Amino acid sequence: MTTNTLPILDGHNDTLLHLYSPERGSGRSFFEQSELGHIDLPRARQGNFAGGFFAIFCPAPGKTQTMKERMIVTETGYEVRPFPAIEHAYAQRMTDEVIELLYHLEAESAGQIQVVCTVDELQDCMQKGILAIILHFEGAEAIAPDLDNLESFYQRGLRSLGLVWSRPNDFAHGVPFGFPRSPDTGPGLTAAGRELVHACNRLGILVDLAHLNEQGFWDVAQISDAPLVVTHTAVHALCPSTRNLTDRQLDAVKASDGIVGLNFGVSDMRTDTNSDPNLPLTVMVRHIDYLVEHLGIDRVGFGSDFDGTTVSREIGDVRGLPKLVSALREHGYDEAALRKLTHENWLRVLRLTWP
């Protein structure tokens, strides 16, 4: 295994859903090494994974069609029939249960993991080798339309909120999956969505624009007084997926002094519609090069989407992160740049966002 001494902070994973849902995670334990999924504590140690944004995502209840089952192959690519909205009451109930699971894991870990709420706590964990967990919601369905439970979630540790997944909710419209296609797929924020952005700014909750359609992105850019953050995405100019950012969007992130985390999902990095995991690291490096060229070295990080997507076989799981760092080093990134890409840039943007 390639070694790496740099701690890695990651912008997104779906590991909590794997641990909550036996159908997804096969009942695996976070504290025992497994070949299932992408992250557990032993493998995180081996990959020098210091922590990051652990998402709570609420899939639709009951048996629903998978992405593959909803996919329509076109002459030039694919479209995925839009996913319907889910009910707030269900999302809040599931989110409460996953938060309870998270704090149970923290207690069970005997000090090996910690839910962090400040940058000082995050840096302290990194120095002591404690896995740092930033509580993130992927989609705001658990937030009441009148926002009356937002502060309660903040008190319970919520520090990062994705307005949407790729479906509509009370606040905004997620992009349907498609290739090749623009992210300009529908209307922008609702009135409640605008209020939610303002409330997150006041509390110091990071607003994540991943999965948000283009008009919603511009609405946030206009009204938010925090840096624009997209935790897990890639470059539309290199892979014209709806999930990826256009050059104009990248310019807006740069102007706000925000950050983009590179999504490791192979379908959002390839130049074709193939989701084959035999994706060379050179493709990932190409996306990082493009992001660095357009955003500057201070505004790019990793946003793996581990346990939520198909990643390159060359990465495999969290243990493969040092391979990407080595590929970037061999490509010409020096140690100062690698420190920024692996963790310093996430720390910087959190200092600007959290109180």
Side-chain angles (χ1 to χ4, degrees):
M1 179 64 64
T2 304
T3 58
N4 166 49
T5 59
L6 295 171
I8 295 172
L9 290 177
D10 183 46
H12 188 88
N13 72 65
D14 286 293
T15 303
L16 290 177
L17 181 60
H18 268 225
L19 299 174
Y20 172 81
S21 172
E23 312 90 76
R24 299 209 176 209
S26 302
R28 63 188 175 100
S29 166
F30 189 68
F31 301 110
E32 297 176 4
Q33 183 163 325
S34 171
E35 295 304 312
L36 299 172
H38 292 141
I39 299 178
D40 51 48
L41 187 59
R43 285 183 288 175
R45 301 292 192 212
Q46 294 172 52
N48 220 31
F49 178 84
F53 296 69
F54 280 62
I56 297 180
F57 168 69
C58 299
K63 182 167 177 56
T64 58
Q65 285 186 312
T66 65
M67 188 99 65
K68 189 173 183 179
E69 291 169 336
R70 301 181 75 87
M71 184 176 290
I72 302 167
V73 178
T74 66
E75 289 184 3
T76 58
Y78 66 85
E79 294 181 4
V80 175
R81 285 182 290 114
F83 288 85
I86 62 172
E87 292 185 357
H88 161 66
Y90 154 76
Q92 180 169 339
R93 183 170 62 253
M94 177 180 165
T95 298
D96 287 337
E97 291 172 358
V98 180
I99 292 175
E100 184 177 346
L101 166 69
L102 172 59
Y103 281 104
H104 178 75
L105 287 172
E106 183 187 49
E108 189 182 353
S109 76
Q112 296 183 85
I113 67 175
Q114 181 179 333
V115 181
V116 297
C117 296
T118 69
V119 176
D120 285 346
E121 290 177 351
L122 176 54
Q123 290 184 295
D124 186 59
C125 284
M126 293 174 67
Q127 291 168 3
K128 294 178 178 176
I130 299 169
L131 185 72
I133 293 180
I134 298 166
L135 178 56
H136 169 81
F137 291 178
E138 186 172 26
E141 286 88 353
I143 307 300
D146 63 2
L147 312 186
D148 72 351
N149 62 353
L150 179 63
E151 189 161 353
S152 172
F153 280 128
Y154 178 82
Q155 296 299 330
R156 295 165 70 189
L158 177 66
R159 290 298 181 273
S160 176
L161 176 66
L163 296 177
V164 290
W165 184 68
S166 289
R167 62 190 174 204
N169 60 30
D170 289 317
F171 306 102
H173 299 266
V175 288
F177 297 94
F179 176 101
R181 194 174 176 191
S182 163
D184 186 10
T185 59
L189 301 185
T190 66
R194 290 173 177 269
E195 287 302 314
L196 178 57
V197 171
H198 289 310
C200 287
N201 285 172
R202 288 194 301 271
L203 287 170
I205 297 173
L206 181 148
V207 176
D208 177 21
L209 307 187
H211 288 277
L212 185 63
N213 68 358
E214 187 172 1
Q215 187 54 57
F217 176 99
W218 294 120
D219 286 347
V220 176
Q222 181 182 41
I223 67 174
S224 178
D225 58 17
L228 299 180
V229 175
V230 191
T231 58
H232 58 302
T233 187
V235 176
H236 194 271
L238 299 179
C239 173
S241 157
T242 52
R243 278 280 289 110
N244 290 342
L245 296 181
T246 66
D247 286 359
R248 186 167 166 247
Q249 289 175 301
L250 293 177
D251 290 342
V253 173
K254 179 179 181 180
S256 76
D257 206 12
I259 190 172
V260 169
L262 177 68
N263 178 8
F264 291 6
V266 296
S267 61
D268 287 321
M269 282 191 285
R270 300 182 65 99
T271 56
D272 56 27
T273 62
N274 198 332
S275 58
D276 184 347
N278 291 309
L279 182 84
L281 291 180
T282 52
V283 176
M284 301 180 72
V285 172
R286 189 178 310 137
H287 277 262
I288 289 175
D289 278 347
Y290 195 99
L291 292 171
V292 169
E293 178 184 349
H294 283 73
L295 297 171
I297 192 63
D298 295 317
R299 301 179 189 91
V300 183
F302 299 161
S304 68
D305 206 4
F306 279 145
D307 284 322
T309 192
T310 300
V311 305
S312 165
R313 278 206 177 95
E314 290 198 38
I315 296 291
D317 60 27
V318 69
R319 292 172 294 184
L321 285 170
K323 295 181 181 179
L324 177 57
V325 176
S326 292
L328 290 166
R329 183 180 287 113
E330 291 167 9
H331 187 64
Y333 287 90
D334 62 21
E335 293 305 304
L338 291 173
R339 284 195 302 271
K340 291 181 178 185
L341 294 172
T342 55
H343 61 280
E344 288 180 351
N345 289 346
W346 280 119
L347 290 171
R348 182 192 64 79
V349 85
L350 290 175
R351 286 192 198 96
L352 295 174
T353 304
W354 291 353

